[in-house]
Amino acid sequence: MDAATTEKIYLELLELDRRLQELVEEMQGLTFEMRETRKVLAEGQARNDALKQKLFGNRFQSAEMFAHG
């Protein structure tokens, strides 16, 4: 291999390494956002369940059993 080819390969590897680092950072950001979204959804579901229990008591659970049973 001549020096020009070696230099091109080296520059390409540097670019690939830089792009890999960008992708890793983006993936970490997406993972964080996904965890936060799941947390918010779980909190909302807990609030909904508490409201259902408060409003309907056992009647709501009985209706769900009939609908899914």
Side-chain angles (χ1 to χ4, degrees):
M1 243 187 301
D2 65 352
T5 303
T6 302
E7 182 69 16
K8 285 180 183 178
I9 291 171
Y10 178 73
L11 292 174
E12 185 66 25
L13 286 173
L14 287 177
E15 178 61 23
L16 289 172
D17 190 50
R18 184 194 63 76
R19 183 67 181 132
L20 176 63
Q21 186 59 38
E22 285 179 5
L23 291 172
V24 167
E25 291 170 6
E26 289 174 14
M27 182 63 76
Q28 289 171 341
L30 288 172
T31 301
F32 177 78
E33 288 179 30
M34 182 181 68
R35 287 182 181 145
E36 289 298 308
T37 299
R38 290 170 70 185
K39 183 176 157 183
V40 169
L41 288 173
E43 290 169 355
Q45 183 65 49
R47 281 193 306 270
N48 284 346
D49 291 344
L51 285 172
K52 287 178 196 175
Q53 183 65 34
K54 184 177 179 181
L55 291 171
F56 302 109
N58 291 333
R59 292 176 290 167
F60 189 76
Q61 290 173 348
S62 298
E64 274 189 340
M65 286 186 351
F66 287 118
H68 298 291

